Amino acid sequence: MSTEPPARRADPVKRLGIRDIAARAAAAPIVALTAYTAPMARMLDSHCDLLLVGDSLGMVVYGFDSTLAVTLEMMIAHGAAVMRGAARACVIVDLPFGSYQESPAQAFRNAARVMAETGCTGVKLEGGAAMAETIAFLVARGIPVLGHVGLMPQSVHGHGGFRTQGRSADEAARILADALAVEQAGAFATVLEGVTEPLGRQVAEALAIPVIGIGASPACDGQILVTEDLLGLFGTFTPRFVRRYAELGGAVAKAAEEYAADVRARRFPGAKECVGIGKDG
Ligand code: KIV
């Protein structure tokens, strides 16, 4: 038997937990993006603190005109894929419309399925004061919850469209109260979407938990965007709050155009893409 010590293995990457998210927010803004697939998660993982498997996938991936038709099964399939791709980022999966609003027990049953079948760290759900009891119920039973207040896409019809929230004093006061209710209920952080900048700043200053903004304020403790928006891969509608860091949609169309021309002209496949002809055999 060898007396050699076993070779030292490289330390496995440690996944960030909800405590790390809060600690990081104290030092620098939290970097968050959406991810729906394993390859995208792999590309984003080392750059992000938090990856959200958002139900925006209904619009971005499935072509629905809202998030309302997204099912629990879709969220579980994409959540599991993202977990296979990301080793370091804290992965949170959205609970889709209709899977949690009925009762805290319904929310627990479905959130537990998401946690067990994906291996994610926690779930996100939309709603402020109206969802506080549900958030507290989940947190008390070991399920970390990321809140989501302000513009809530699952309430698009109630909001009268995807419009900025908090323009009137009443609306702003309600959103601040919602954010405080989510914090009080035990959420580890909250998303704040689509509000006026002064309100975004006010909410970020009022809450002790991290506030992750999207179309909110630079004063938030972190920022999140839909990855396909910043890559220029989702052309249907680009909200004002998106900054495009790449125009990959044009690159994809150009690659498809060149491929089509090569196939039609019999330039693809060539000798080096075939086996048994040419000098490489
Ligand atoms: O569904 C989603 O992707 C989201 C983010 C935009 C915050 O909720």
Side-chain angles (χ1 to χ4, degrees):
M1 202 174 91
S2 165
T3 53
E4 290 275 306
R8 275 181 72 109
R9 275 204 224 119
D11 285 343
V13 177
K14 190 177 169 302
R15 192 180 292 284
L16 299 175
I18 59 170
R19 295 222 168 91
D20 302 310
I21 296 297
R24 291 175 98 78
I30 296 163
V31 178
L33 282 172
T34 59
Y36 314 128
T37 65
M40 185 62 86
R42 205 168 289 125
M43 288 185 268
L44 303 178
D45 190 38
S46 63
H47 305 288
C48 293
D49 303 313
L50 187 149
L51 288 176
L52 172 69
V53 187
D55 63 352
S56 51
L57 64 78
M59 300 171 78
V60 177
V61 176
Y62 289 90
F64 301 140
D65 59 8
S66 79
T67 58
L68 300 181
V70 174
T71 65
L72 196 65
E73 282 64 33
M74 288 175 188
M75 295 312 303
I76 289 172
H78 288 274
V82 168
M83 283 299 292
R84 287 191 288 273
R88 175 188 165 278
C90 177
V91 175
I92 302 296
V93 178
D94 256 345
L95 292 181
F97 179 65
S99 71
Y100 62 94
Q101 291 93 339
E102 199 177 308
S103 65
Q106 183 213 25
F108 179 78
R109 200 165 46 248
N110 288 326
R113 256 195 81 191
V114 168
M115 302 281 292
E117 294 180 36
T118 68
C120 70
T121 297
V123 298
K124 174 165 84 59
L125 58 84
E126 295 180 11
M131 281 297 132
E133 186 191 348
T134 296
I135 294 172
F137 193 89
L138 296 185
V139 173
R141 285 158 184 76
I143 299 187
V145 175
L146 175 63
H148 186 149
V149 297
L151 172 59
M152 296 177 285
Q154 293 177 14
S155 301
V156 59
H157 298 303
H159 291 322
F162 292 101
R163 41 173 284 276
T164 301
Q165 303 291 297
R167 288 189 191 275
S168 73
D170 280 358
E171 213 172 70
R174 184 188 40 76
I175 291 167
L176 176 59
D178 275 346
L180 288 165
V182 162
E183 172 174 74
Q184 188 106 51
F188 74 88
T190 189
V191 166
L192 176 63
E193 178 168 358
V195 296
T196 59
E197 197 284 328
L199 174 61
R201 187 172 292 273
Q202 194 188 358
V203 171
E205 281 165 7
L207 267 60
I209 58 170
V211 175
I212 303 176
I214 171 164
S217 167
C220 288
D221 306 286
Q223 302 292 332
I224 185 165
L225 282 177
V226 169
T227 299
E228 281 71 5
D229 279 339
L230 77 83
L231 294 179
L233 277 172
F234 183 60
T236 313
F237 170 64
T238 306
R240 170 183 166 153
F241 57 73
V242 169
R243 185 179 295 176
R244 292 271 189 121
Y245 287 85
E247 292 297 341
L248 299 190
V252 171
K254 185 164 176 296
E257 186 186 348
E258 286 175 16
Y259 168 72
D262 282 353
V263 169
R264 290 188 182 115
R266 299 196 183 280
R267 285 191 298 266
F268 178 84
K272 76 175 175 4
E273 284 112 4
C274 294
V275 176
I277 57 167
K279 73 174 168 48
D280 298 332

